[in-house]
Amino acid sequence: MNEHTPRRSARRSRTVRYATAAAGLALTALAPTAASAAPRPDVVQQRLDALVKEDGMPAALAAVKGRDGRSRTYTAGVGDLATGAEVPVDGQIRAGSNTKPFTAVVVLQLVAEGRVGLDASVDTYLPGLLRGDGIDGRNITVRQLLQHTSGLPDYLDAPALADFVPIQYRYFEPRELLDGALAQKALFAPGTDWMYSNTNYLVAGLLIQKVTGRPYGEEVTKRVIDRIGLRHTYVPATGETALREPHPHAYLAADPGAPRIDYTEMDTSMAWSAGAVVSTDTDLNAFYSALLTGRLLPAAQLAQMRTTVPTELLGPGVRYGLGIQSRPLSCGGLVWGHGGTGAAHRNRGGVTEDGRAVSITVTTVPDAATTRRMTEAVDAALCR
């Protein structure tokens, strides 16, 4: 869910968010599978193999759409540390904060329909909801929620979420999560700074429900997933803990150096509209491609989404829009996407203006150095 800000180390830094540990792994590298043959070895396979062999990731998966318009899928490592099973090609993963663009799209569709004002206050739709130390929903706009400029503290910093191990199967109401945020002090006055906070998208999910009168998951399914035919993507139902389709197992370490535990199954209510979506690398490429080419939003709202502010905390040249970010490529131009972290997955990727796309996922949450190498792998895949 949380992707970016470095405020916590040990159990969950704000850059890494979830801790990792190096455990003894039975590692095998699998050859790329492709709709059409890919050269062997190629740069994507080499990078995935390195993430497994050198960085200790249990598994790495990728989907790449190249300059030639062809899509290829890749795997490396093992899908189950207990059995040594192969990694399912294009297996399902918890997409983490890639959920945020799905949420932002629905809000911006409501803006296009005249049902939500982008610069209206949160109190317009959720009166009295946001009150706390330096927090007042009358002074926070919908735009500021989507762009992380509201100053709302992150609910993931609340004590109830300090350790993910005992809450693997625990259900959280959105209001319970919000209360954890409102018990903290505001990060800054609305509109005066930028800081990544999952609370922004928790509130956006509540706004969607209030305005539409329908559950958040139903709106995302109807307005995004079904609209563009993402056949392997869904918002988990209440109480649903298992992944629906073939998938690699995913692993969490409670503390650095601790043994990894199997965290494949989990109650994603703690992520909800900030990070609960399940998808595949191929579907994520399809989502970002559809978004960037205007299949999900009218031109005016897509332009608003792509209006960005600088966010150097995310890396040199990175800028954040309304639920989507841009990052410069070494070969010129930008990659547009978001990235995501579940309790035991991390994803990096995005699409370019000319239609190239890449999504790379590993099955535990890596440290900052490995995450940087994932970002470099995305660049290598898009610039080859």
Side-chain angles (χ1 to χ4, degrees), residues 64-81:
V64 179
K65 182 180 179 182
R67 297 177 188 274
D68 59 4
R70 296 177 179 177
S71 294
R72 299 175 173 88
T73 55
Y74 300 80
T75 64
V78 293
D80 186 337
L81 295 179

Side-chain angles (χ1 to χ4, degrees), residues 353-377:
E353 299 282 358
D354 63 1
R356 288 168 286 154
V358 62
S359 180
I360 296 174
T361 303
V362 295
T363 56
T364 192
V365 180
D367 61 18
T370 302
T371 300
R372 182 176 65 252
R373 285 187 279 276
M374 290 183 67
T375 301
E376 291 168 353

Side-chain angles (χ1 to χ4, degrees), residues 135 152-155 158 176-185 199:
I135 300 169
L152 288 172
D154 200 323
Y155 71 81
E176 183 179 2
L177 299 174
L178 182 60
D179 286 345
L182 297 178
Q184 304 171 51
K185 185 177 180 179
T199 307

Side-chain angles (χ1 to χ4, degrees), residues 95-167:
S97 283
N98 287 296
T99 302
K100 291 180 173 68
F102 284 75
T103 302
V105 164
V106 175
V107 173
L108 288 167
Q109 287 176 350
L110 295 172
V111 171
E113 294 165 12
R115 301 168 72 182
V116 171
L118 198 51
D119 293 308
S121 73
V122 174
D123 251 40
T124 304
Y125 311 101
L126 298 166
L129 180 70
L130 300 182
R131 297 291 190 274
D133 188 354
I135 300 169
D136 191 331
R138 292 167 293 191
N139 301 323
I140 297 172
T141 68
V142 175
R143 183 191 302 274
Q144 289 164 349
L145 292 179
L146 300 183
Q147 198 157 52
H148 295 295
T149 54
S150 70
L152 288 172
D154 200 323
Y155 71 81
L156 283 178
D157 287 333
L161 294 163
D163 185 354
F164 284 150
V165 175
I167 62 171

